[in-house]
Amino acid sequence: MATISDVAARAGVSTATVSRALNGKSTVDRDLAARVRQAAEELGYQPNGPARNLRRQEAAVVALIISDVENPFFTAIARGVEDVAHQVGYSVVLCNSDESADKENRYIDIAIQERVAGVILSPSGTTTSVEKLTSRGTAFVAVDRPLPEQESDVVLVDTRLAARQATAHLIAQGYDRIGCITGPLGVRTADDRLAGYRDALKAARLRSTTKLVRRTEYKAVGARRAAQDLLDQAEPPDALLVANSAMAVGVLQALQEHGIRPGRDVGMVAFDDAPWAELVDPPLSVVAQPAYEIGTVAARLLLARIADSSRPATTTTLGARLIERGSSHRG
């Protein structure tokens, strides 16, 4: 890769003149600036981005490691990160961990090898490899889930409270055998949503039973199987709280296969307001999380951390909003 010194030698000028010419400074003679630009083009020279840390030679790049690129919740987070990063000259590289600790670890290794300026990640589970980032001094921020046993900047949503409110809404509609389909054991958001569901049952003096709870991967396939299992019971649930929009797709498939209509035969509320949620019949009641805001807040925290690594770690907790639609009202 050509350096600024190579361009200076080709053009017969100093490196300072190259820098001024390529940055469009008016103090450089027009013909001289043209010669510098031609030399840079011939050598394929790319000047450092505006966010490059010259002292540590970090690239003006942020690595974003998310759990599931197909989930609209995470793609909205990515958009928020990208919008903020772009404003200050950073590029964003998107990495999909697929809820795999091994993939997450591999992407962290790549981020270190590529000398990125910082990392934003949604931790895949109960273990993580961010100590590598800590030891190297690479800035990082966690989103959606806190890092296990690791102090860091983190941006969360109070999903336990949101799950409690969603379940309380179903109870207020007259449902009394409410099931919960949530994510894997040990994943903080999955645990919190189950806890919020149980909080609401307890507050309403309804018995909580494991017969009405299923845990599976945060995917449509697992949720479809879980819903089928619940619906095949002698006493199936009369309503369902579903932990994310990918799972909601699987649950809707299972309901259709059983000839059960949401909002008429069974109540349903799912986390995340996916673009299709209003298009199903009846429209799906959802817990809308501020995904884009999570991304923008996380990106600003990362930029602040890159600028000052000695800042105290912060936890930002955002609220979610229950949007009531036809699927959770008795027909």
Side-chain angles (χ1 to χ4, degrees), residues 50-210:
R52 196 173 190 74
N53 183 322
L54 295 176
R55 180 174 60 84
R56 293 175 52 186
Q57 288 297 293
E58 290 174 343
V61 172
V62 170
L64 173 60
I65 306 174
I66 58 174
S67 304
D68 183 5
V69 73
E70 294 181 337
N71 186 335
F73 171 72
F74 288 111
T75 50
I77 288 177
R79 183 61 198 240
V81 171
E82 199 272 341
D83 282 354
V84 170
H86 179 74
Q87 289 172 4
V88 293
Y90 280 83
S91 298
V92 178
V93 175
L94 181 63
C95 310
N96 181 46
S97 72
D98 270 331
E99 299 283 3
S100 163
D102 288 340
K103 281 189 74 175
E104 178 185 292
N105 182 42
R106 193 155 66 247
Y107 280 129
I108 287 174
D109 285 341
I110 292 169
I112 291 170
Q113 291 164 15
E114 296 299 323
R115 307 179 78 86
V116 302
V119 175
I120 296 173
L121 78 158
S122 169
S124 59
T126 55
T127 61
T128 186
S129 305
V130 294
E131 64 274 359
K132 297 176 186 177
L133 299 173
T134 303
S135 62
R136 186 184 174 275
T138 300
F140 60 91
V141 174
V143 294
D144 189 43
R145 311 163 189 176
L147 289 160
E149 300 178 3
Q150 180 76 46
E151 189 177 74
S152 74
D153 295 309
V154 59
V155 185
L156 307 171
V157 175
D158 191 348
T159 58
R160 180 168 182 165
L161 176 60
R164 176 173 180 159
Q165 292 170 339
T167 307
H169 163 65
L170 290 168
I171 294 168
Q173 293 298 310
Y175 298 106
D176 59 8
R177 278 187 59 80
I178 302 167
C180 178
I181 299 177
T182 191
L185 179 68
V187 175
R188 171 69 177 270
T189 51
D191 293 344
D192 281 354
R193 288 166 202 185
L194 178 58
Y197 157 81
R198 287 175 170 157
D199 290 342
L201 295 182
K202 184 177 180 181
R205 302 181 186 275
L206 291 177
R207 189 167 65 91
S208 176
T209 170
T210 55

Side-chain angles (χ1 to χ4, degrees), residues 12 20 28 95 127 153 270 291 310 330:
R20 289 198 301 273
V28 181
C95 310
T127 61
D153 295 309
S310 66
R330 284 191 179 275

Side-chain angles (χ1 to χ4, degrees), residues 213-262:
V213 174
R214 294 292 182 274
R215 305 196 73 143
T216 184
E217 69 270 23
Y218 269 136
K219 301 279 187 180
V221 173
R224 181 180 179 181
R225 288 195 300 264
Q228 288 171 335
D229 193 35
L230 285 172
L231 296 169
D232 287 339
Q233 293 184 118
E235 293 184 83
D238 62 0
L240 292 167
L241 176 68
V242 184
N244 79 359
S245 60
M247 286 178 145
V249 171
V251 171
L252 290 170
Q253 289 171 336
L255 292 177
Q256 185 179 55
E257 289 162 3
H258 281 71
I260 295 172
R261 298 166 300 173

